[in-house]
């Protein structure tokens, strides 16, 4: 009985003490006051442990090559608009504003985390730090680009970083990071070109090729990103501020560029089997023909309808991602997207790889070869 009273008394004391701590708030949460000795270090170590435990369950997808220069460039471009403000960048100092945050966002190095841990951090963020989760909800594929860039972060100086992120050295004009409502240091003409290329050809795989796509399709997709009907951590933040007239002008600009392009294949996938599947489908597996919608235009590889994208000649990496998107979600909430969901729902991973292998190799004049 005495032991029980001691236990009950201890629990009561803890409850009262906890209530008093909560109510009177003796621990100063002001960012202007450093943590008590050991508190910051303990919290940071817990963070590292939490990331490590959860990232252990993550697997790098087969089609993701973390050493691919195109994927690294894509990650650098997102870092420039999504992360650089708080963390600085190679050769670009942080703004003094963020140095007053607690915890203070650190300058990063490749050795801070493993690639899978970088992916987990980019995908999920941290509570109570200002570090957001990935803005494209459900897009598990996209943060691998950031993981690829951060895994090679230490290999970049300022000129190499600017070339990767913006497509040209000198693409960022300031000595340090501009913050908040201050005028941006990234030239406006690089907003789309830094990923899709000034010629619309995707900078050797950094982003999808837009040149020669129909203006109707491009405007529809930009509007879907702007309105939250098509998820992407890369595109939604950039499209959301654009006025309808600006989106239409961008669409017309890229539609007027040359569509004479061919993609990069993946190191796996059977292109011949992909051709058979694309042309005829698979009645037994209830898989429709891709060519029925995505081929048949004047050049043989463009779609007949202007509200349908050309996929022939896109890079295998993007084709795999898009097919997984329609098969596994989150599928876009756009007109005719239900047709793609129905077409992709029964595809196996091997089907996806074979279709990507086939369509990546197509270029004007190659259909029927």
């Amino acid at each position: 009985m005495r032991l029980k009273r001691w236990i009950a008394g201890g629990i009561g004391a803890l409850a009262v003490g906890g209530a008093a701590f909560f109510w009177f708030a003796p621990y100063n949460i002001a960012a202007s006051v450093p943590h008590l000795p050991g508190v910051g270090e303990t919290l940071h170590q817990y963070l590292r442990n939490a990331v490590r435990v959860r990232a252990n369950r993550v697997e790098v997808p087969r089609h993701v090559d973390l050493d691919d220069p195109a994927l690294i460039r894509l990650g650098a471009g997102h870092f420039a608009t999504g992360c650089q403000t708080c963390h600085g960048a190679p050769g670009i100092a942080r703004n003094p504003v963020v140095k007053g945050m607690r915890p203070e966002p650190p300058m990063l190095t490749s050795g801070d985390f493993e690639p899978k841990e970088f992916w987990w951090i980019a995908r999920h963020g941290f509570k109570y730090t200002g570090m957001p989760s990935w803005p494209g909800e459900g897009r598990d594929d996209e943060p691998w680009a950031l993981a690829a860039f951060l895994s090679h972060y230490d290999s970049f100086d300022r000129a190499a970083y600017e070339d990767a992120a913006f497509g040209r050295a000198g693409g960022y004009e300031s000595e340090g990071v501009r913050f908040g409502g201050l005028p941006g240091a990234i030239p406006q003409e690089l907003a789309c070109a830094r990923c899709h290329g000034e010629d619309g050809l995707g900078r050797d795989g950094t982003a999808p090729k837009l040149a020669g796509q129909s203006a109707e399709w491009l405007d529809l997709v930009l509007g879907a990103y702007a309105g939250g009907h098509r998820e992407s951590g890369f595109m939604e933040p950039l499209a959301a501020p654009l006025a309808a007239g600006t989106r239409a002008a961008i669409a017309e600009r890229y539609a007027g560029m040359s569509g004479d392009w061919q993609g990069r294949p993946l190191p796996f996938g059977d292109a011949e089997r992909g051709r058979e599947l694309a042309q005829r489908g698979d009645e037994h597996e209830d898989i429709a023909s891709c060519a029925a919608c995505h081929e048949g235009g004047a050049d043989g590889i463009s779609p007949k309808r202007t509200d349908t994208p050309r996929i022939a000649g896109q890079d295998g990496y993007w084709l795999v991602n898009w097919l997984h998107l329609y098969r596994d979600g989150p599928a876009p909430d756009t007109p005719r997207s239900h047709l793609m969901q129905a077409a992709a729902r029964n595809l196996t991973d091997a089907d996806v790889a074979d279709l990507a292998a086939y369509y990546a190799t197509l270029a004007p004049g190659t259909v029927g070869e």
Side-chain angles (χ1 to χ4, degrees):
M1 292 296 293
R2 180 176 297 179
L3 178 60
K4 290 181 179 179
R5 286 197 295 270
W6 274 102
I7 292 173
I11 293 174
L14 286 173
V16 171
F21 185 88
F22 178 84
W23 184 257
F24 293 106
Y27 192 81
N28 195 339
I29 63 169
S32 59
V33 178
H35 279 301
L36 293 175
V39 173
E41 292 80 359
T42 299
L43 293 174
H44 185 68
Q45 188 56 52
Y46 180 86
L47 179 151
R48 296 188 67 87
N49 291 342
V51 171
R52 175 181 51 80
V53 167
R54 288 155 179 81
N56 277 339
R57 300 191 289 268
V58 174
E59 293 186 6
V60 182
R62 184 186 182 193
H63 69 288
V64 171
D65 178 4
L66 294 170
D67 295 321
D68 181 3
L71 194 63
I72 294 170
R73 286 193 296 268
L74 181 62
H78 180 78
F79 188 91
T81 54
C83 312
Q84 178 178 296
T85 299
C86 288
H87 291 283
I92 304 175
R94 293 169 297 169
N95 191 285
V97 170
V98 304
K99 296 181 181 181
M101 298 169 66
R102 200 164 308 281
E104 177 183 327
M107 293 292 289
L108 300 173
T109 72
S110 301
D112 289 337
F113 295 94
E114 296 296 320
K116 294 194 297 184
E117 295 172 339
F118 279 128
W119 177 90
W120 191 93
I121 293 168
R123 177 67 183 84
H124 298 290
F126 297 127
K127 293 183 174 76
Y128 307 115
T129 66
M131 171 70 189
S133 62
W134 193 255
E137 185 179 353
R139 291 300 302 270
D140 288 350
D141 58 299
E142 292 183 329
W144 286 113
L146 203 55
F149 167 67
L150 291 171
S151 298
H152 294 81
Y153 187 94
D154 292 348
S155 67
F156 286 90
D157 59 16
R158 176 162 179 162
Y161 167 70
E162 289 180 346
D163 183 64
F166 309 118
R168 66 177 73 158
Y172 195 80
E173 300 171 351
S174 299
E175 291 301 317
V177 172
R178 301 198 178 193
F179 195 82
L182 297 175
I186 301 173
Q188 185 176 6
E189 67 270 18
L190 293 183
C192 303
R194 63 193 175 90
C195 289
H196 295 284
E198 295 187 36
D199 55 5
L201 298 183
R203 293 187 66 202
D204 296 323
T206 299
K209 299 172 178 66
L210 305 182
Q213 296 278 19
S214 76
E216 180 180 350
W217 167 252
L218 292 171
D219 191 33
L220 185 154
V221 172
L222 277 172
Y225 284 129
H229 300 294
R230 190 179 180 101
E231 294 183 13
S232 171
F234 298 131
M235 286 301 303
E236 285 185 88
L238 296 177
L242 299 178
T246 302
R247 297 197 301 268
I250 292 171
E252 290 287 349
R253 178 169 177 266
Y254 281 106
M257 296 178 179
S258 171
D260 186 9
W261 36 265
Q262 184 171 338
R264 300 187 310 162
L266 292 168
F268 54 87
D270 183 338
E272 179 56 30
R273 180 177 178 272
R275 184 185 71 81
E276 292 289 331
L277 189 60
Q279 296 297 323
R280 298 184 175 86
D282 188 326
E283 184 176 354
H284 179 70
E285 298 296 336
D286 194 21
I287 298 174
S289 161
C290 305
C293 290
H294 290 284
E295 298 178 31
D299 58 3
I301 59 173
S302 296
K304 295 178 181 178
R305 295 175 58 114
T306 57
D307 60 355
T308 302
R310 170 185 159 185
I311 60 172
Q314 291 287 3
D315 292 326
Y317 173 82
W318 294 104
L319 293 165
V320 169
N321 280 340
W322 292 332
L323 285 170
H324 283 170
L325 195 68
Y326 281 106
R327 186 190 71 179
D328 305 326
D333 176 21
T334 55
R336 294 170 58 82
S337 66
H338 63 287
L339 299 177
M340 269 303 303
Q341 287 180 273
R345 66 187 175 193
N346 291 328
L347 295 176
T348 65
D349 287 348
D351 294 335
V352 168
D354 294 346
L355 287 169
Y358 166 64
Y359 274 109
T361 61
L362 287 186
T366 60
V367 173
E369 293 183 358

